[in-house]
Amino acid sequence: MLYKKIRDLREDHDLKQRDLADYLNCTQVSYSYYEIGKRDIPTEVLIKLAKFYNCSTDYLLGLTDVKDPYPIKTNGKNNPEKV
């Protein structure tokens, strides 16, 4: 599910694998392995993809159909709260 989702998102944004590879600071071949499921996606890469597409990691993982990212919890001073 994850692999298809990241490919579909890339295609929906008219991007090439090279574009995402450059953003993720990896080779195009490494990125293509993510899309076909030949290589597991590291957590930090998953987070970067979620930020890039402005969605939640749960959406990428197929745990929800809601694309919207989770709101950032703040401490009331417009500063993100450190957990």
Side-chain angles (χ1 to χ4, degrees):
M1 179 67 109
L2 167 65
Y3 313 112
K4 181 178 176 353
K5 186 119 9 191
I6 64 170
R7 185 190 70 230
D8 290 346
L9 281 167
R10 178 182 57 78
E11 290 174 349
D12 289 348
H13 287 81
D14 295 322
L15 298 168
K16 297 183 183 320
Q17 287 182 343
R18 164 60 49 208
D19 299 325
L20 271 295
D22 289 345
Y23 173 74
L24 297 171
N25 197 29
C26 67
T27 66
Q28 182 272 324
V29 171
S30 291
Y31 181 80
S32 72
Y33 285 174
Y34 295 151
E35 283 194 3
I36 62 175
K38 194 170 184 179
R39 182 175 289 165
D40 286 335
I41 300 176
T43 304
E44 61 272 5
V45 171
L46 183 67
I47 292 168
K48 283 183 86 169
L49 287 170
K51 287 180 179 181
F52 182 83
Y53 290 121
N54 194 35
C55 65
S56 70
T57 55
D58 282 356
Y59 176 77
L60 292 177
L61 293 167
L63 299 174
T64 182
D65 291 331
V66 178
K67 187 177 176 192
D68 296 333
Y70 297 112
I72 295 175
K73 188 175 180 181
T74 62
N75 62 9
K77 299 177 184 171
N78 293 328
N79 296 323
E81 183 176 300
K82 297 187 184 204
V83 181

